[in-house]
Amino acid sequence: MNFPTAPSVPALTIDDVRGARKMLSGIARTTAMEGSRHLSALVGAPVHLKCENLQRTGSFKLRGAYVRIAGLTAEERARGVVAASAGNHAQGVALASSLLDVRSTVFMPVGAPLPKVAATREYGAEVRLHGQVVDETLAAAQQYARETGAVFIHPFDHPDIIAGQGTLGLEILEQCPEVRTIVVGIGGGGLAAGVAVAVKALRPDVRIVGVQAAGAACYPPSLAAGRPVSVDALQTMADGIKVGRPGDVPFGIVEELVDEVRTVTEDELSSALLLCLERAKLVVEPAGASPVAALLSDPEAFEGPVVAVLSGGNVDPLLMQRILRHGMAAAGRYLGLRLRLTDRPGALAGLLATLTTADANVLDISHVRTEPRLGLTEAEVELQLETKGPEHCREVAETLGRAGYLVLD
């Protein structure tokens, strides 16, 4: 997504964040913070999960959207608001507008997941489907704003949005006053910038680490250049942080106050999402799992106690199914094998019996007898197995070898 730049604005202060918190009293939840024994053992220090996936609308976006819309003049509110989003920002704007009795129109891509479209409508927005990608959707929303006078609500490039997101930082300091490192996902930068403003004003010793998906990492080149630069060909499952250019306003704050920006791979995102589901019993979207992915990829790099911000939980069920499969594969929970055996009655049954003794679950099997590469008495079998992890994969392979099977691949 390549959003337009915002005009220059005054620097944000802790007082702006405190003012935003007063606005959000009774609106945004103070979300739970849960300890993670698994991650704590991995890092060698306490790790806490800030569960913003349990926020109203399922993400932190309500905080900034409400503060931005609440700050409009009566004349601006009368004109209504418009936004463009594929998910979290759409729902945040829709609910905030309904709570403030402001008419909202939200443009979403034609291919946006149906649960997100339905939720945005249920929160009270008029939803218009336009464009195949968010850039096209954004252009339509801006054109609508010019034609109707509706106020465009930017997802991250506005001081009010950043101040609202910064209230999350105040909660972290209150819930975990001993925190030494805060890890937070970065897309356009609104959340990381807001958290940094709040935390650094009160605890300048706390290290703040931003995390981007490697396939959509606009901040590393921007920080190297000293200005926001655009990156193209964004490729990541983490649509919540899939942004092609940092916002001008959050970039200046991130450059000054965020200590480090890291990137994580798709495999690491999948593994993190799976860990959140299995170990923490929390449904988290890929962008929300990015801080956990960073901890998994380099646990020794983080001084504890650590707070990892789970920024959202709005994940389409179909995408969740694919991600879980990918995460299980990345974690060594699937094993693909190709082996050769004698083509005789009962040979396949014997192979399956051997796999049973190895406690491997067969997901798929293909039995080939007619390939030219095979001898007259040979057959090949391709197997997809569900296992318990890398060590179990090795045990399965060793069990097959001891039984006399030739594992080819």
Side-chain angles (χ1 to χ4, degrees):
M1 292 183 284
N2 294 311
F3 294 101
T5 60
S8 59
V9 295
L12 282 170
T13 69
I14 186 65
D15 289 335
D16 296 311
V17 179
R18 285 170 171 156
R21 192 175 197 185
K22 290 181 181 178
M23 283 188 183
L24 289 168
S25 178
I27 302 298
R29 296 170 181 156
T30 299
T31 50
M33 186 175 290
E34 301 288 343
S36 171
R37 285 191 294 177
H38 180 80
L39 290 173
S40 297
L42 193 67
V43 172
V47 175
H48 306 280
L49 305 175
K50 177 61 172 168
C51 302
E52 200 66 4
N53 58 312
L54 303 180
Q55 183 59 262
R56 297 176 72 178
T57 74
S59 88
F60 71 96
K61 288 289 191 177
L62 172 65
R63 296 174 184 263
Y66 187 90
V67 172
R68 173 77 173 98
I69 298 170
L72 298 177
T73 65
E75 186 273 334
E76 288 173 325
R77 291 193 191 191
R79 301 202 313 258
V81 300
V82 60
S85 169
N88 290 346
H89 182 59
Q91 294 173 67
V93 168
L95 179 57
S97 299
S98 294
L99 294 172
L100 292 163
D101 198 25
V102 175
R103 184 180 70 258
S104 64
T105 303
V106 175
F107 284 75
M108 303 182 76
V110 172
L114 293 179
K116 294 183 178 182
V117 174
T120 303
R121 286 189 173 125
E122 289 171 6
Y123 286 129
E126 177 189 348
V127 174
R128 299 193 179 189
L129 301 178
H130 184 92
Q132 299 299 320
V133 296
V134 175
D135 282 342
E136 297 173 359
T137 308
L138 174 68
Q142 291 173 317
Q143 180 64 29
Y144 178 88
R146 289 190 291 269
E147 292 174 352
T148 66
V151 179
F152 180 69
I153 305 300
H154 199 286
F156 51 79
D157 208 0
H158 193 280
D160 289 348
I161 293 284
I162 296 170
Q165 321 304 28
T167 60
L168 188 65
L170 297 179
E171 290 180 17
I172 290 173
L173 294 183
E174 292 168 358
Q175 293 172 310
C176 185
E178 69 278 14
V179 64
R180 296 293 300 168
T181 305
I182 297 173
V183 192
V184 58
I186 295 186
L191 177 61
V195 169
V197 167
V199 171
K200 290 293 188 177
L202 301 173
R203 287 281 308 280
D205 60 302
V206 173
R207 183 173 179 81
I208 298 177
V209 179
V211 183
Q212 291 209 290
C218 60
Y219 264 89
S222 296
L223 292 170
R227 58 180 175 80
V229 298
S230 298
V231 296
D232 300 319
L234 306 180
Q235 296 292 332
T236 179
M237 69 179 79
D239 57 353
I241 52 175
K242 188 178 180 180
V243 176
R245 183 186 185 278
D248 287 2
V249 182
F251 175 79
I253 298 171
V254 170
E255 185 179 40
E256 179 183 358
L257 298 180
V258 172
D259 297 283
E260 180 186 7
V261 176
R262 290 173 164 257
T263 62
V264 292
T265 67
E266 299 299 284
D267 281 353
E268 288 163 347
L269 286 168
S270 296
S271 297
L273 189 147
L274 184 61
L275 184 143
C276 288
L277 186 62
E278 285 192 323
R279 298 299 184 96
K281 316 307 178 190
L282 292 168
V283 175
V284 182
E285 62 190 270
S290 59
V292 174
L295 295 177
L296 292 175
S297 68
D298 191 6
E300 296 179 357
F302 301 90
E303 180 185 358
V306 178
V307 172
V309 178
L310 307 182
S311 58
N314 291 318
V315 57
D316 180 63
L318 294 177
L319 176 61
M320 170 71 88
Q321 186 179 41
R322 293 197 298 270
I323 291 171
L324 289 178
R325 288 175 178 169
H326 188 81
M328 290 181 72
R333 300 277 293 278
Y334 290 139
L335 175 62
L337 290 173
R338 183 168 62 91
L339 49 83
R340 193 164 294 178
L341 69 165
T342 302
D343 187 14
R344 57 178 175 76
L348 185 57
L351 170 62
L352 297 177
T354 301
L355 292 171
T356 298
T357 65
D359 200 22
N361 185 35
V362 178
L363 299 176
D364 190 29
I365 185 168
S366 175
H367 192 203
V368 179
R369 291 188 176 94
T370 57
E371 288 292 332
R373 66 178 179 272
L374 297 175
L376 291 175
T377 61
E378 291 181 327
E380 277 187 4
V381 175
E382 292 184 1
L383 296 161
Q384 290 293 325
L385 308 175
E386 182 181 359
T387 67
K388 301 173 184 177
E391 181 60 33
H392 189 210
C393 288
R394 287 190 289 271
E395 293 173 1
V396 171
E398 290 171 359
T399 299
L400 289 171
R402 287 194 299 269
Y405 293 101
L406 175 62
V407 178
L408 303 174
D409 186 17

